Tab-separated table of all heavy atoms in Angstrom:
chain	number	residue	atom	x	y	z
A	19	ASN	N	144.913	54.320	63.622
A	19	ASN	CA	143.574	54.346	63.123
A	19	ASN	C	142.737	55.082	64.129
A	19	ASN	O	142.761	54.623	65.344
A	19	ASN	CB	143.080	52.965	62.719
A	19	ASN	CG	141.711	53.022	62.033
A	19	ASN	OD1	141.033	54.034	62.086
A	19	ASN	ND2	141.405	52.025	61.305
A	21	LYS	N	139.750	54.876	64.523
A	21	LYS	CA	138.727	53.963	65.070
A	21	LYS	C	139.298	53.097	66.016
A	21	LYS	O	140.414	52.604	66.024
A	21	LYS	CB	138.264	53.073	63.864
A	21	LYS	CG	137.249	52.076	64.224
A	21	LYS	CD	135.955	52.386	64.458
A	21	LYS	CE	134.965	51.275	64.658
A	21	LYS	NZ	133.602	51.813	65.013
A	22	GLY	N	138.594	52.900	67.185
A	22	GLY	CA	139.084	52.068	68.287
A	22	GLY	C	138.833	50.668	68.059
A	22	GLY	O	137.899	50.252	67.257
A	23	GLY	N	139.603	49.728	68.690
A	23	GLY	CA	139.313	48.342	68.779
A	23	GLY	C	139.486	47.672	67.453
A	23	GLY	O	138.936	46.575	67.226
A	24	VAL	N	140.470	48.230	66.555
A	24	VAL	CA	140.528	47.520	65.244
A	24	VAL	C	141.802	46.581	65.079
A	24	VAL	O	142.129	45.963	64.131
A	24	VAL	CB	140.616	48.508	64.065
A	24	VAL	CG1	139.312	49.248	63.957
A	24	VAL	CG2	141.713	49.593	64.318
A	25	GLY	N	142.461	46.497	66.321
A	25	GLY	CA	143.676	45.526	66.331
A	25	GLY	C	144.973	46.293	66.246
A	25	GLY	O	146.046	45.590	65.904
A	26	LYS	N	145.083	47.601	66.503
A	26	LYS	CA	146.398	48.330	66.488
A	26	LYS	C	147.366	47.689	67.600
A	26	LYS	O	148.530	47.264	67.112
A	26	LYS	CB	146.075	49.789	66.874
A	26	LYS	CG	145.338	50.586	65.858
A	26	LYS	CD	145.264	52.059	66.242
A	26	LYS	CE	144.368	52.307	67.405
A	26	LYS	NZ	142.986	52.036	67.248
A	27	THR	N	146.913	47.607	68.733
A	27	THR	CA	147.866	47.006	69.724
A	27	THR	C	148.206	45.654	69.500
A	27	THR	O	149.408	45.192	69.674
A	27	THR	CB	147.211	47.207	71.168
A	27	THR	OG1	146.941	48.658	71.260
A	27	THR	CG2	148.133	46.806	72.210
A	28	THR	N	147.185	44.879	69.147
A	28	THR	CA	147.449	43.363	68.879
A	28	THR	C	148.409	43.145	67.719
A	28	THR	O	149.423	42.398	67.817
A	28	THR	CB	146.116	42.683	68.537
A	28	THR	OG1	145.152	42.979	69.507
A	28	THR	CG2	146.414	41.243	68.390
A	29	SER	N	148.237	44.105	66.751
A	29	SER	CA	149.274	43.922	65.539
A	29	SER	C	150.578	44.529	65.865
A	29	SER	O	151.574	43.847	65.578
A	29	SER	CB	148.768	44.862	64.376
A	29	SER	OG	147.431	44.518	63.970
A	50	ASP	N	149.725	55.337	73.625
A	50	ASP	CA	148.184	55.328	73.967
A	50	ASP	C	148.111	55.482	75.466
A	50	ASP	O	148.609	54.613	76.137
A	50	ASP	CB	147.626	54.045	73.485
A	50	ASP	CG	146.148	53.952	73.625
A	50	ASP	OD1	145.652	54.845	74.380
A	50	ASP	OD2	145.499	52.963	72.988
A	52	GLN	N	145.835	54.473	77.227
A	52	GLN	CA	145.304	53.185	77.705
A	52	GLN	C	146.443	52.271	78.195
A	52	GLN	O	146.293	51.369	79.034
A	52	GLN	CB	144.480	52.452	76.740
A	52	GLN	CG	143.213	53.299	76.307
A	52	GLN	CD	142.447	52.531	75.171
A	52	GLN	OE1	141.397	51.855	75.442
A	52	GLN	NE2	142.947	52.540	73.960
A	54	ASN	N	147.832	49.722	76.639
A	54	ASN	CA	147.654	48.298	76.447
A	54	ASN	C	148.833	47.446	75.926
A	54	ASN	O	148.935	46.290	76.266
A	54	ASN	CB	146.448	48.057	75.483
A	54	ASN	CG	145.071	48.536	76.117
A	54	ASN	OD1	144.966	48.675	77.236
A	54	ASN	ND2	144.176	48.820	75.224
A	135	ASP	N	152.589	52.485	68.805
A	135	ASP	CA	151.192	52.132	69.065
A	135	ASP	C	150.389	53.352	69.425
A	135	ASP	O	150.614	53.963	70.569
A	135	ASP	CB	151.091	51.059	70.162
A	135	ASP	CG	149.713	50.516	70.224
A	135	ASP	OD1	148.976	50.387	69.166
A	135	ASP	OD2	149.304	50.096	71.355
A	136	CYS	N	149.688	53.829	68.422
A	136	CYS	CA	148.853	55.104	68.532
A	136	CYS	C	147.558	54.896	69.347
A	136	CYS	O	146.921	53.835	69.229
A	136	CYS	CB	148.677	55.730	67.203
A	136	CYS	SG	150.227	56.216	66.436
A	137	PRO	N	147.018	55.983	69.858
A	137	PRO	CA	145.697	55.964	70.468
A	137	PRO	C	144.649	56.024	69.410
A	137	PRO	O	144.952	56.434	68.229
A	137	PRO	CB	145.739	57.232	71.392
A	137	PRO	CG	146.717	58.135	70.795
A	137	PRO	CD	147.760	57.298	70.089
A	138	PRO	N	143.397	55.689	69.707
A	138	PRO	CA	142.323	55.763	68.713
A	138	PRO	C	141.829	57.219	68.529
A	138	PRO	O	140.678	57.492	68.738
A	138	PRO	CB	141.216	54.799	69.276
A	138	PRO	CG	141.457	54.765	70.680
A	138	PRO	CD	142.914	55.041	70.985
B	1	ATP	N1	142.881	39.537	64.063
B	1	ATP	C1	142.001	39.583	65.150
B	1	ATP	N2	140.851	38.845	65.161
B	1	ATP	C2	140.011	38.866	66.097
B	1	ATP	N3	140.069	39.614	67.226
B	1	ATP	C3	141.107	40.434	67.272
B	1	ATP	C4	142.259	40.479	66.290
B	1	ATP	N4	143.064	41.406	66.712
B	1	ATP	C5	142.703	41.960	67.761
B	1	ATP	N5	141.543	41.354	68.196
B	1	ATP	C6	140.733	41.649	69.388
B	1	ATP	O1	140.138	42.874	69.162
B	1	ATP	C7	140.146	43.612	70.432
B	1	ATP	C8	140.815	44.989	70.249
B	1	ATP	O2	142.167	44.752	69.731
B	1	ATP	P1	143.280	45.869	70.092
B	1	ATP	O3	143.270	46.262	71.501
B	1	ATP	O4	144.533	45.416	69.504
B	1	ATP	O5	142.717	47.105	69.286
B	1	ATP	P2	143.194	48.544	69.280
B	1	ATP	O6	142.850	49.149	67.790
B	1	ATP	O7	144.512	48.693	69.694
B	1	ATP	O8	142.190	49.212	70.293
B	1	ATP	P3	142.248	50.669	70.828
B	1	ATP	O9	141.742	51.611	69.679
B	1	ATP	O10	141.346	50.741	72.067
B	1	ATP	O11	143.666	51.024	71.202
B	1	ATP	C9	140.995	42.870	71.407
B	1	ATP	O12	140.022	42.202	72.316
B	1	ATP	C10	141.694	41.784	70.609
B	1	ATP	O13	141.883	40.580	71.194
Side-chain angles (χ1 to χ4, degrees):
N19 188 336
K21 175 79 173 171
V24 292
K26 293 182 291 294
T27 302
T28 307
S29 304
D50 185 348
Q52 297 177 102
N54 293 339
D135 188 28
C136 294

